[in-house]
Amino acid sequence: MTSATITAAAAGTWKLGDLTVNRMGFGAMRLPQNGEAFGNATPSDRDRAIAVLRRAVELGVNHIDTAAFYFSSLRSANELINSALSPYPGDLVIATKVWPGRDPSGTWWWAESAQLRGQVEENLRQLGRDHLDLVNLRIPPSRTAASIAEHFGALADLRDAGLIRHLGVSNATPEQLAEATSIAPVVCVQNPYGIGARPEDRVMPRTCGEQGIAFVPFFAIAGKGREAGRTGADGDEIQSIARAHGATPAQIRLAWTLQQGPHVLAIPGTGNPDHLVDNIAAAAIRLTEDEMARLDAL
């Protein structure tokens, strides 16, 4: 079996509420531009970006992560998704996020709770939908120890109004997750997580598993490079394990991510068709207990 014939189904499935998705998904952050997200990178090639999205679905991806603030000077991730995939496949789940926003010049701003409806409606317009499958409340870095009840409550009201089907939280602490679940059901948590994560960062994946909530890590490949992408060479341990599997270090990072638990989903993003195929092929890699222990120790 070649990489091009491996589909996202090789990673197995999980349920986001009542929506079943393949655990290998796709993140749209890198689609609108070449290079670092949100920087001054050149806009991506539109036809190539659309081809990547269509190929992802062909390869079994039915969980796409996006946001209205994923845009470059000429491209919008939501508009690309709409153009490439509408009318949408019946099993496709599109997750988006609100609270942060960017004005047309790219300047960041953070919404008041009363402004969240406008952000939700912006995603609806761009995606061409009458409801959103999943909306994550992306918590600002300045609010890591603060209550999110007002903002999450506003999203719960929009869920009750039928604009949103399911809710999640992002950049959340276990305390914030508990606060959110006391207001409305939470189907997923999106936090940065990958090989080399701090011990305190490992609490959330475990907490989610105990509660049957999906954990959806981002920057699983990029690590500390974050929006800029992976920087620097991978260490000897990762490269050695990659060679043993005939894989790339990025594929090993994704395989490690998926083996954190059956509730863990992967959403690697790329605007490169070849990288897309490689990322999805990581769904079929199974690391040994010894290899997992070696990677856990990094």
Side-chain angles (χ1 to χ4, degrees):
M1 181 179 292
T2 66
S3 293
T5 62
I6 297 172
T7 72
T13 62
W14 186 259
K15 287 194 120 180
L16 294 168
D18 61 346
L19 303 172
T20 300
V21 296
N22 289 324
R23 293 175 59 222
M24 177 63 80
F26 178 80
M29 183 182 71
R30 303 198 179 279
L31 281 181
Q33 68 287 310
N34 300 310
E36 182 175 354
F38 312 127
N40 295 318
T42 58
S44 61
D45 180 88
R46 177 179 172 77
D47 291 341
R48 177 165 150 153
I50 286 176
V52 166
L53 284 163
R54 290 175 176 166
R55 182 62 174 147
V57 171
E58 288 173 358
L59 289 172
V61 168
N62 58 5
H63 172 215
I64 295 177
D65 176 76
T66 186
F69 53 80
Y70 289 171
F71 64 84
S72 65
S73 59
L74 295 179
R75 306 275 179 263
S76 156
N78 281 354
E79 187 277 327
L80 289 167
I81 292 169
N82 189 344
S83 296
L85 303 178
S86 181
Y88 297 108
D91 67 341
L92 180 64
V93 174
I94 300 177
T96 188
K97 58 195 75 69
V98 296
W99 200 342
R102 294 167 72 205
D103 68 21
S105 72
T107 300
W108 289 94
W109 61 283
W110 294 91
E112 300 294 333
S113 58
Q115 296 174 303
L116 292 180
R117 183 180 184 114
Q119 290 189 325
V120 166
E121 290 176 345
E122 180 182 23
N123 278 281
L124 288 170
R125 286 191 300 272
Q126 292 176 352
L127 291 167
R129 308 199 76 172
D130 58 9
H131 76 277
L132 298 175
D133 298 321
L134 169 59
V135 175
N136 289 298
L137 183 69
R138 172 64 64 85
I139 301 166
S142 62
R143 300 288 290 270
T144 53
S147 170
I148 61 170
E150 185 177 352
H151 280 73
F152 195 79
L155 286 188
D157 289 342
L158 296 175
R159 175 180 175 270
D160 292 341
L163 296 183
I164 302 170
R165 191 162 179 176
H166 296 296
L167 300 175
V169 291
S170 180
N171 280 341
T173 64
E175 294 76 19
Q176 289 168 330
L177 173 60
E179 182 179 40
T181 56
S182 72
I183 297 170
V186 174
V187 303
C188 73
V189 174
Q190 271 195 3
N191 278 11
Y193 188 74
I195 292 175
R198 301 170 302 175
E200 57 266 35
D201 293 331
R202 303 187 181 198
V203 174
M204 186 61 89
R206 185 168 60 250
T207 299
C208 288
E210 291 167 353
Q211 297 183 26
I213 296 172
F215 182 71
V216 189
F218 55 93
F219 299 144
I221 295 176
K224 294 179 180 179
R226 297 178 66 84
E227 289 86 354
R230 185 79 194 149
T231 57
D234 287 284
D236 292 342
E237 201 73 84
I238 295 176
Q239 293 194 44
S240 172
I241 294 172
R243 286 193 296 271
H245 287 268
T248 67
Q251 288 176 314
I252 296 303
R253 288 179 179 274
L254 289 173
W256 178 89
T257 297
L258 290 168
Q259 285 185 226
Q260 295 304 296
H263 66 296
V264 179
L265 314 183
I267 49 169
T270 182
N272 184 309
D274 294 332
H275 290 170
L276 170 73
V277 172
D278 288 345
N279 287 345
I280 292 177
I285 296 174
R286 302 292 183 266
L287 302 174
T288 67
E289 289 185 9
D290 174 68
E291 290 168 337
M292 288 294 292
R294 288 155 59 191
L295 294 172
D296 287 343
L298 295 178

